Amino acid sequence: MKLIVVDDEKGIVEGLQKMIGRYLPECEVIGTAHNGLEGRNLIQRRQPDIVITDIRMPQADGLDMISMLKETDCAAKFILLSGYADFEYARRGIQLGVKFYINKPVEEEELSGCVRQVMEEIRADRAKQQEMIELKQEVHSRNQEEALRSILELGVDHTDLVEELLRSAHIPTTNTRFASIMIELEGTMDALKEIGFEPLLRQIDLALKPYRGVYRFRYSGPQVAVLIAHGSTIAYGELIRVIRRLKEAVSRELNLSIAAGIGTVQEQAAGISRSFEEARMALSYKVVKGAGAVIPFPETMNREGQIRPVSEETIAKLESALDNMDEAECVGIIRGIFRGMETAPGISPADLQQQCLNILLSSIRNMSFQQLQQNGFLGRHILSLEGISRFRTLEHLEEWMVQVIRGMIAFKVEHHVPKKKDMITEIKEYVTTHYNEPISLADLASRFFISPYYLSQFFKQKTGDTYLNFLTQIRMNKAKELLERTDLKVYEVCQRVGYSDPQHFARMFEKVAGCKPRDYRKNLPDM
């Protein structure tokens, strides 16, 4: 603790310095003064934690000095030193917020006890301030994560809303480039439970330190979503190298393995959702690239000279049959694909393996990470390159593929996964019931055993609207009902309909209803 002594008697100042040095080793006397004006200037300059001051001094007494310092928001704690039992002085001191007094002549025990009492009060004040700072940071982080989740799951057609959400998250948009990354911890969840996510987040912060803004949060299960917002050009090649160095650091420092998908750099905020979808898609290619892969999105694009993939029409039929758990239809489609392979000229075993991977990737792209994790059969077969590479004949590959597809259907039947034709209705019913809970697209996808990306596309295809718009409309309709029928305050309505930030809620309400919540209630007709 830093301490200053102010007294017009030099002998008392020197005596106090000696006692403090002997009995209060945790305190350091950083200056002394011999009148009130000199003391005021010294205290303003050195900013001590504690000031021991005499009351009666020339030029300005101790209480005048304290009064002048209080006007400058001085945070020091004051101990008054006086040989006068004067009630008026004590009363003025109390009015100035002084709670501690020492009588002259000063005894070592009284000085030590009083200063230690002041130090305890200072520590308690600092603990409260730190608690408030951490609470504000936690609220800010939660609001920021909520805004980022909304941005990442919006899709590419909501430029205005993306800008507004970025502003609410205090993320700059002017002259800023953006890139998204999806990072996934590999291996069992035991290691993750042991160390938690914080060490990984710290490694991400260290690796991405060269970029102006880095926003990361736990997205779903063992996945971390990262958004980079940089004020100048983001060199894509350098970004890839940075993520590879991050992978090496996580392995070296935490003894963990990660895989990462890297979306492309976007010049405008409206492209963030696109970059994030690319990052998720790139990460899904770790099935092909193997464990611990760092996969830039451009590497997942089809290139000329590769074996021609199974047609989109055939894949769509296979997906539909899987969604409806029609085993006979699935097996028939697989048989048809292999009959086509038999007629392909010059096809090699490597080509066959690649073709099977393409089919399997297309077959599982509608499945969530949690579904794949729970399905031991898929883990042993689909998520291992050895599952394909051990086969050397077309017939063996065909039978293996049929068994994998049957395993998918058996898993869906066992876990009562709803058929695709009923899924949107069930999702709508669930959201309508649980609108007041923090149900992100990732949470919903996990509940209905479907990938977030596919759910986003499928919901819009079937309803003509995005999931986020649907959820927002449900919440706003309920907010209107509460404003009309109850006396709840606006912030209470905000909490009742699933929002944590009243300002964000008010902006969303105004977008939907055309006016602020308070104005909406004022304009209601008298009943």
Side-chain angles (χ1 to χ4, degrees):
M1 294 278 180
K2 296 183 295 181
L3 193 146
I4 282 178
V5 178
V6 185
D7 196 297
D8 60 334
E9 297 183 44
K10 292 185 179 181
I12 292 178
V13 171
E14 291 171 359
L16 286 171
Q17 283 182 285
K18 287 179 182 179
M19 281 191 281
I20 290 166
R22 183 179 300 170
Y23 298 105
L24 295 163
E26 56 269 66
C27 290
E28 176 192 2
V29 178
I30 60 170
T32 62
H34 301 289
N35 63 66
L37 293 181
E38 183 184 341
R40 180 195 64 179
N41 296 334
L42 178 64
I43 292 164
Q44 285 180 326
R45 188 170 68 251
R46 299 301 305 274
Q47 298 293 311
D49 300 303
I50 303 171
V51 176
I52 300 177
T53 179
D54 191 13
I55 292 181
R56 292 202 174 185
M57 294 183 294
Q59 298 188 39
D61 67 27
L63 295 176
D64 290 334
M65 179 187 74
I66 294 172
S67 180
M68 288 185 284
L69 288 166
K70 290 290 184 181
E71 292 177 1
T72 64
D73 295 324
C74 174
K77 299 286 185 182
F78 293 91
I79 299 174
L80 286 178
L81 187 65
S82 177
Y84 299 90
D86 193 321
F87 176 75
E88 284 304 316
Y89 280 116
R91 187 169 66 175
R92 278 190 64 202
I94 292 170
Q95 289 171 347
L96 289 169
V98 179
K99 296 188 290 184
F100 303 98
Y101 296 83
I102 299 176
N103 293 317
K104 293 180 181 179
V106 179
E107 299 290 339
E108 292 91 342
E109 288 186 6
E110 186 180 7
L111 173 68
S112 178
C114 186
V115 172
R116 291 187 189 284
Q117 189 178 354
V118 175
M119 287 194 295
E120 284 301 313
E121 185 169 297
I122 291 172
R123 292 189 184 105
D125 289 346
R126 288 176 179 174
K128 288 179 182 177
Q129 289 172 2
Q130 184 60 32
E131 187 178 344
M132 287 301 299
I133 290 170
E134 290 174 359
L135 181 60
K136 288 178 181 178
Q137 287 175 341
E138 184 181 344
V139 171
H140 173 68
S141 296
R142 247 195 250 118
N143 291 339
Q144 190 174 76
E145 179 180 333
E146 184 180 313
L148 285 172
R149 280 187 182 278
S150 298
I151 291 168
L152 298 181
E153 295 166 355
L154 265 178
V156 298
D157 302 325
H158 299 82
T159 305
D160 293 341
L161 189 52
V162 167
E163 294 275 358
E164 181 181 330
L165 287 167
L166 285 171
R167 282 194 297 273
S168 71
H170 303 290
I171 297 175
T173 59
T174 306
N175 298 322
T176 303
R177 277 77 176 175
F178 302 91
S180 296
I181 305 154
M182 181 67 91
I183 295 170
E184 184 172 283
L185 276 169
E186 298 182 321
T188 65
M189 297 294 286
D190 294 338
L192 181 60
K193 289 176 182 176
E194 185 176 339
I195 70 165
F197 259 88
E198 285 305 316
L200 175 60
L201 296 179
R202 284 196 293 271
Q203 290 296 326
I204 292 171
D205 291 340
L206 285 172
L208 298 178
K209 195 174 181 181
Y211 300 101
R212 185 181 71 185
V214 177
Y215 309 91
R216 76 288 183 279
F217 60 93
R218 186 172 179 176
Y219 180 70
S220 176
Q223 295 179 336
V224 175
V226 182
L227 174 66
I228 293 174
H230 194 52
S232 59
T233 301
I234 300 175
Y236 196 61
E238 177 58 23
L239 177 59
I240 295 168
R241 288 189 287 274
V242 167
I243 299 304
R244 285 176 177 154
R245 288 197 292 269
L246 168 63
K247 174 183 172 295
E248 293 167 2
V250 169
S251 175
R252 182 178 63 252
E253 302 294 332
L254 305 180
N255 197 28
L256 293 173
S257 175
I258 61 171
I262 307 173
T264 57
V265 176
Q266 300 292 319
E267 299 291 321
Q268 303 292 333
I272 292 174
S273 298
R274 184 188 305 280
S275 180
F276 184 64
E277 288 176 5
E278 292 171 350
R280 285 197 294 198
M281 188 178 295
L283 181 62
S284 72
Y285 269 73
K286 75 170 190 168
V287 179
V288 176
K289 300 287 186 179
V294 173
I295 310 160
F297 175 72
E299 289 185 10
T300 68
M301 306 299 288
N302 289 331
R303 297 182 177 88
E304 292 182 4
Q306 292 181 328
I307 181 173
R308 190 174 71 178
V310 178
S311 71
E312 281 297 319
E313 182 182 358
T314 302
I315 291 299
K317 288 180 180 178
L318 179 59
E319 288 180 357
S320 178
L322 275 169
D323 285 329
N324 290 295
M325 292 172 267
D326 188 336
E327 182 177 320
E329 179 71 10
C330 287
V331 172
I333 292 169
I334 294 296
R335 302 285 189 207
I337 290 171
F338 275 82
R339 298 294 77 78
M341 289 183 187
E342 288 176 344
T343 62
I347 192 168
S348 68
D351 290 334
L352 291 174
Q353 291 168 10
Q354 184 62 48
Q355 191 74 305
C356 287
L357 276 173
N358 290 338
I359 296 167
L360 290 174
L361 281 172
S362 298
S363 300
I364 68 171
R365 67 185 178 187
N366 299 352
M367 302 174 73
S368 69
F369 176 83
Q370 287 80 2
Q371 187 173 353
L372 293 173
Q373 284 285 91
Q374 292 174 13
N375 193 325
F377 181 85
L378 297 182
R380 291 192 304 273
H381 292 80
I382 294 179
L383 303 182
S384 171
L385 292 175
E386 295 178 0
I388 293 176
S389 62
R390 70 174 184 267
F391 296 107
R392 292 287 179 251
T393 68
L394 194 61
E395 291 80 8
H396 286 162
L397 268 175
E398 181 178 344
E399 290 308 314
W400 179 77
M401 287 285 294
V402 167
Q403 290 305 313
V404 169
I405 295 297
R406 284 175 172 158
M408 288 184 186
I409 293 173
F411 174 86
K412 290 188 172 189
V413 170
E414 179 185 351
H415 289 79
H416 309 290
V417 178
K419 294 183 179 181
K420 177 175 164 182
K421 61 183 180 181
D422 300 319
M423 187 179 298
I424 294 301
T425 300
E426 291 192 25
I427 288 173
K428 284 184 171 182
E429 289 174 355
Y430 181 82
V431 172
T432 302
T433 305
H434 298 82
Y435 64 89
N436 59 337
E437 299 173 11
I439 42 176
S440 69
L441 186 66
D443 296 332
L444 203 61
S446 171
R447 174 172 292 277
F448 284 89
F449 290 98
I450 189 171
S451 74
Y453 175 77
Y454 183 77
L455 174 56
S456 174
Q457 302 299 312
F458 185 51
F459 192 94
K460 187 169 184 180
Q461 175 190 342
K462 291 298 181 183
T463 67
D465 201 358
T466 65
Y467 160 70
L468 189 62
N469 281 349
F470 175 74
L471 174 60
T472 300
Q473 193 63 56
I474 293 290
R475 286 173 166 175
M476 292 305 118
N477 287 342
K478 186 62 180 177
K480 289 178 183 178
E481 183 181 325
L482 292 172
L483 289 169
E484 292 169 5
R485 301 183 181 181
T486 73
D487 294 327
L488 292 172
K489 299 183 184 301
V490 171
Y491 76 88
E492 292 174 319
V493 172
C494 163
Q495 294 170 351
R496 290 281 185 95
V497 298
Y499 290 96
S500 58
D501 182 355
Q503 292 182 344
H504 176 56
F505 163 71
R507 286 194 296 269
M508 297 299 294
F509 188 93
E510 187 173 8
K511 250 185 195 312
V512 173
C515 62
K516 296 183 183 300
R518 286 188 176 85
D519 296 335
Y520 181 85
R521 177 174 272 166
K522 287 178 184 176
N523 294 331
L524 290 173
D526 295 331
M527 299 300 293

